[in-house]
Amino acid sequence: MLKDKMQQALNDQLNAEMYSAYLYLSMEAYFRSISLNGFATWMRVQTQEELFHATKFYNFINDRSGRVTLKSIDAPPTKWDSPLAAFKDAYEHEQKVTSLINNLVDLSLEERDHATNTFLQWFVTEQVEEEDNTSTVVERIKLVGEAQGGLFLLDQELGARTFTQPTALAETQA
Ligand SMILES: [Fe+2]
Ligand SMILES: [Fe+2]
């Protein structure tokens, strides 16, 4: 059974993952508006990943006989000055989420909640990848700089990203 404080913190993280999905969906809309459809596809996959993260928290709270309570999702920004600005925001956002996950891990230790601690380890690893994915694109956009041809090629490359449902979803739904 989840303790109140832990339950509240997990519900907050569920909300933060929904916000992440909303933020990336907004970035997708921005990229579509400037015809960078490959960048937009990359963001759609990112949104799907965040919805998967939210679902993991949702399932875990239920699995622990807790109570999921949904709160309103903040409105994300709707426009950015450049593809670089959007991806810098994405990287910054992932760094924030990493600190949220780290705080949750700290709380699970304080509360001696070993099951939650084990559950959170997946997210600790995932955040390494999330930061790496976004910072890599930031660096690549910087590399191509103002060159339109470079941006075009990068757009094609990012457009190849597909969402593969991690097998962990089956585990948390079982
Ligand atoms: Fe996430
Ligand atoms: Fe993320």
Side-chain angles (χ1 to χ4, degrees):
M1 183 80 190
L2 278 174
K3 285 190 195 154
D4 277 356
K5 202 171 171 189
M6 199 71 242
Q7 175 171 294
Q8 207 176 323
L10 291 168
N11 271 302
D12 285 346
Q13 190 59 34
L14 165 52
N15 183 268
E17 300 294 343
M18 292 301 290
Y19 175 77
S20 298
Y22 226 30
L23 173 65
Y24 294 129
L25 195 59
S26 188
M27 288 184 178
E28 176 189 343
Y30 160 69
F31 283 118
R32 295 235 178 259
S33 78
I34 55 170
S35 299
L36 284 174
N37 290 336
F39 279 79
T41 296
W42 194 99
M43 283 298 170
R44 172 65 63 94
V45 173
Q46 192 65 19
T47 297
Q48 288 172 302
E49 289 214 350
E50 299 302 349
L51 290 174
F52 169 73
H53 296 166
T55 305
K56 271 181 84 78
F57 279 99
Y58 182 99
N59 290 343
F60 182 73
I61 295 166
N62 282 320
D63 287 350
R64 296 287 307 284
S65 304
R67 179 70 167 94
V68 168
T69 44
L70 300 178
K71 296 173 193 121
S72 54
I73 305 164
D74 290 340
T78 54
K79 54 186 174 191
W80 287 267
D81 289 340
S82 63
L84 180 61
F87 264 92
K88 272 184 172 173
D89 270 11
Y91 178 43
E92 214 173 278
H93 179 69
E94 288 303 334
Q95 289 174 291
K96 259 184 233 157
V97 172
T98 298
S99 68
L100 292 177
I101 296 291
N102 288 343
N103 291 342
L104 276 177
V105 172
D106 289 346
L107 182 63
S108 72
L109 291 172
E110 275 166 36
E111 300 281 318
R112 300 174 145 271
D113 185 340
H114 301 291
T116 299
N117 185 270
T118 300
F119 167 75
L120 291 171
Q121 295 312 309
W122 185 89
F123 285 92
V124 171
T125 307
E126 175 71 1
Q127 281 312 118
V128 174
E129 202 180 297
E130 292 280 80
E131 285 191 34
D132 183 46
N133 285 347
T134 45
S135 72
T136 297
V137 179
V138 167
E139 292 312 313
R140 303 203 67 178
I141 298 173
K142 281 184 187 166
L143 272 177
V144 303
E146 299 294 307
Q148 295 290 310
L151 206 57
F152 178 75
L153 286 176
L154 192 53
D155 187 60
Q156 286 191 317
E157 189 189 311
L158 295 182
R161 187 183 188 195
T162 54
F163 177 69
T164 42
Q165 183 145 295
T167 49
L169 183 61
E171 284 165 29
T172 56
Q173 278 180 336

